[in-house]
Amino acid sequence: MVRTPLTPWERERGERLGMLLRTARGERSMVEIAAAAGLSAETLRKIETGRAPTPAFFTVAALAGTLGLSLDEVAVLATPAESPPGTTDDTGRGSAAA
């Protein structure tokens, strides 16, 4: 199976998610958080560094729960300010890159 290359918007969203998770983890170890969320430390490391910018929903949900974040917070804080190309914003206008 060939994966479609990620857009710059998707890469930025992955980087923002990684920064959010690193910040929420604080002084706790990667191994501790990964184990509590049912993941490997390697998976968490890849997400935090942006090497896995599009983790599965249930992975994000497990990490959010372990870190005390709501999924709403994660969605808002990890989403770049600019809409992805080809989408419309709340006003019904397309994004600038569309």
Side-chain angles (χ1 to χ4, degrees), residues 11-92:
R11 283 193 300 275
E12 181 182 348
R13 183 182 59 194
E15 290 168 4
R16 291 171 63 101
L17 174 63
M19 287 188 293
L20 172 63
L21 296 176
R22 268 194 310 277
T23 301
R25 182 166 55 87
E27 296 297 319
R28 293 176 285 182
S29 78
M30 193 176 286
V31 172
E32 173 190 346
I33 297 303
L39 308 170
S40 70
E42 178 66 11
T43 297
L44 179 54
R45 186 184 66 74
K46 286 179 180 178
I47 295 168
E48 285 189 357
T49 60
R51 288 191 49 224
T54 57
F57 172 79
F58 291 105
T59 299
V60 175
L63 286 167
T66 299
L67 294 168
L69 299 169
S70 75
L71 289 175
D72 288 335
E73 287 176 290
V74 173
V76 169
L77 296 173
T79 301
E82 187 176 315
S83 299
T87 63
T88 57
D89 59 20
D90 291 339
T91 65

